[in-house]
């Protein structure tokens, strides 16, 4: 089942009742001239079991401990945003799988050669998906990208990922004056940042559900990064976000602001259509297949991660 992504960008009271997330508006709750029947009729409810990601994007949102507990028990990811309306925090459950201890051990004991091979596969899929995005969006020459993908060695010691990235960003958004891929850079960097934050939450949630530590990466190892493995596994999925952002800029223009309507489009990322294992699937379901295959690599059942491919 596809889990829903809920984004709250206005003041709200969020609580729990009968396994439902209850959503109330403060202006209605505080009004003295409204009947209790009217207030109750203006409540919204959503089944907790249907929720995959919750985005809290307003300083006047109140959420009860009971609602948080139920969301985390359901393996939902809760994202909080800062005063600039950009994701700044991610809350995940501590326990997401019944055999978590065993799975932690398999992950921790995985060999360096295996992790290097998994990183090689990850970068190959990422570059190929980037090449597909260029073909669809900018009709750029991609033969060099395919050659680079085939040249990636175990662990990517030649840093072909970076070489491909330079060509990719120049070809995809090179028509935008002053554009370089940078968190603080010109538009549409803000949309890319927001989209990647949603994708990161989806991947981290799936890793926890598969019983793995999202902190322990196969390549990323920044001591200050609590989601190194999520940052590794999301790499081949990034081009889906890039393509969505490119389409938004084509429709609304490069200088479009990160408005509620634009955020609503970016919040569709978990439901984007992807092809994985030769079959169409929503991105959130595909990510779960990827993380399940990753654990099988750690346990010795597989030697290859299952990633999506952009045709």
């Amino acid at each position: 089942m596809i889990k829903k992504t809920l984004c709250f960008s206005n003041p709200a009271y969020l609580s729990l009742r009968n396994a439902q997330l209850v959503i109330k508006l403060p202006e209605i709750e505080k009004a003295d001239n409204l009947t209790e029947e009217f207030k109750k009729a203006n409540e919204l409810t959503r089944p907790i079991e249907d929720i995959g990601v919750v985005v809290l994007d307003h300083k006047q949102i109140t959420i009860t401990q009971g609602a948080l507990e139920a969301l985390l028990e359901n393996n939902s990811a809760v994202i909080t945003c800062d005063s600039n309306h950009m994701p700044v925090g991610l809350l995940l459950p501590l326990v997401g799988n019944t055999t978590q201890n065993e799975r932690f051990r398999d992950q921790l004991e995985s060999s360096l050669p295996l992790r290097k091979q998994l990183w090689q596969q990850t970068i190959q899929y990422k570059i190929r998906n980037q090449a597909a995005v260029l073909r669809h969006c900018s009709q750029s020459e991609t033969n060099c990208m395919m050659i680079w993908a085939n040249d990636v060695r175990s662990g990517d010691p030649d840093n072909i990922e970076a070489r491909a990235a330079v060509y990719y960003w120049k070809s995809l958004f090179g028509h935008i004056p002053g554009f370089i891929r940078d968190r603080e850079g010109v538009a549409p960097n803000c949309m890319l940042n927001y989209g990647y934050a949603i994708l990161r939450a989806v991947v981290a949630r799936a890793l926890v559900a598969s019983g793995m530590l999202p902190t322990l990466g196969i390549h990323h190892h920044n001591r200050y990064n609590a989601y190194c493995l999520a940052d590794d596994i999301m790499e081949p999925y990034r081009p889906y976000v890039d393509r969505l952002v490119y389409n938004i800029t084509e429709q609304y223009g490069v200088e479009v602001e990160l408005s509620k309507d634009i955020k609503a489009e970016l919040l569709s990322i978990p439901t984007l259509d992807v092809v994985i294992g030769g079959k169409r699937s929503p991105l959130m379901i595909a990510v779960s297949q990827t993380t399940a295959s990753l654990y099988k690599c750690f346990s010795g059942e597989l030697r290859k991660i299952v990633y999506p491919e952009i045709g």
Side-chain angles (χ1 to χ4, degrees):
M1 182 181 68
I2 304 175
K3 300 288 186 175
K4 297 182 182 299
T5 300
L6 303 183
C7 180
F8 299 96
S9 300
N10 294 303
Y13 292 142
L14 308 179
S15 59
L16 180 71
R17 185 175 65 229
N18 298 328
Q20 303 272 323
L21 182 67
V22 181
I23 306 161
K24 301 179 182 178
L25 303 179
E27 57 267 29
I28 293 179
E29 283 298 297
K30 294 178 180 178
D32 296 329
N33 58 338
L34 299 178
T35 65
E36 290 301 319
E37 289 76 10
F38 181 87
K39 292 180 181 180
K40 192 168 184 62
N42 280 273
E43 289 181 0
L44 295 176
T45 59
R46 295 291 184 271
I48 291 288
E49 64 180 359
D50 291 349
I51 302 172
V53 179
V54 175
V55 181
L56 306 178
D57 188 14
H58 199 283
K59 292 184 180 298
Q60 293 180 314
I61 292 174
T62 300
I63 182 168
T64 66
Q65 169 64 19
L68 276 177
E69 178 186 354
L71 287 167
L72 294 176
E73 286 181 345
N74 182 62
N75 197 30
S76 301
V78 181
I79 301 172
T80 57
C81 298
D82 61 17
S83 56
N84 295 318
H85 307 288
M86 295 301 296
V88 71
L90 175 60
L91 186 62
L92 292 170
L94 288 174
V95 179
N97 191 281
T98 54
T99 58
Q100 186 162 298
N101 184 278
E102 176 186 353
R103 290 173 179 245
F104 280 1
R105 287 200 306 272
D106 288 336
Q107 181 184 358
L108 290 166
E109 294 170 1
S110 61
S111 67
L112 180 59
L114 172 63
R115 295 197 299 273
K116 286 185 174 182
Q117 291 166 15
L118 297 178
W119 183 242
Q120 175 190 24
Q121 297 169 26
T122 299
I123 296 307
Q124 287 175 330
Y125 272 97
K126 177 184 180 180
I127 295 175
R128 288 171 186 148
N129 283 345
Q130 287 177 326
V133 169
L134 291 184
R135 288 195 297 271
H136 293 164
C137 297
S138 64
Q139 289 75 52
S140 299
E141 173 58 48
T142 59
N143 285 340
C144 59
M145 297 281 286
M146 302 308 292
I147 292 172
W148 288 334
N150 292 332
D151 286 346
V152 176
R153 294 188 292 149
S154 179
D156 192 20
D158 307 305
N159 202 12
I160 290 178
E161 178 192 13
R163 188 190 312 175
V166 171
Y167 180 82
Y168 174 70
W169 291 117
K170 182 179 179 181
S171 301
L172 187 62
F173 290 122
H175 60 286
I176 301 174
F179 178 86
I180 58 171
R181 174 61 194 131
D182 185 85
R183 286 188 60 85
E184 307 300 327
V186 300
N189 274 294
C190 56
M191 284 187 281
L192 291 168
N193 296 342
Y194 195 90
Y196 290 155
I198 299 300
L199 176 61
R200 192 188 201 208
V202 170
V203 174
R205 172 187 176 276
L207 287 168
V208 171
S210 294
M212 287 176 285
L213 284 164
T215 302
L216 187 64
I218 56 176
H219 176 76
H220 288 92
H221 54 270
N222 188 320
R223 64 187 294 186
Y224 303 110
N225 184 357
Y227 301 104
C228 288
L229 187 57
D231 290 341
D232 289 334
I233 301 305
M234 68 185 277
E235 293 292 354
Y237 287 90
R238 286 179 185 266
Y240 290 96
V241 178
D242 304 338
R243 184 173 62 180
L244 177 59
V245 170
Y246 181 90
N247 291 338
I248 291 173
T249 62
E250 287 291 287
Q251 183 176 357
Y252 299 102
V254 174
E255 298 299 328
V256 63
E257 295 183 357
L258 193 59
S259 63
K260 290 182 180 180
D261 290 339
I262 298 302
K263 287 181 181 178
E265 295 206 30
L266 293 171
L267 288 169
S268 71
I269 288 169
T271 61
L272 291 176
D273 266 351
V274 307
V275 176
I276 186 167
K279 298 180 181 179
R280 289 197 171 275
S281 173
L283 183 143
M284 180 177 280
I285 303 299
V287 169
S288 296
Q289 295 178 43
T290 296
T291 58
S293 71
L294 174 62
Y295 171 69
K296 289 182 179 179
C297 291
F298 287 147
S299 67
E301 297 177 58
L302 293 177
R303 297 293 294 181
K304 188 175 180 180
I305 308 179
V306 177
Y307 278 126
E309 297 180 83
I310 300 177

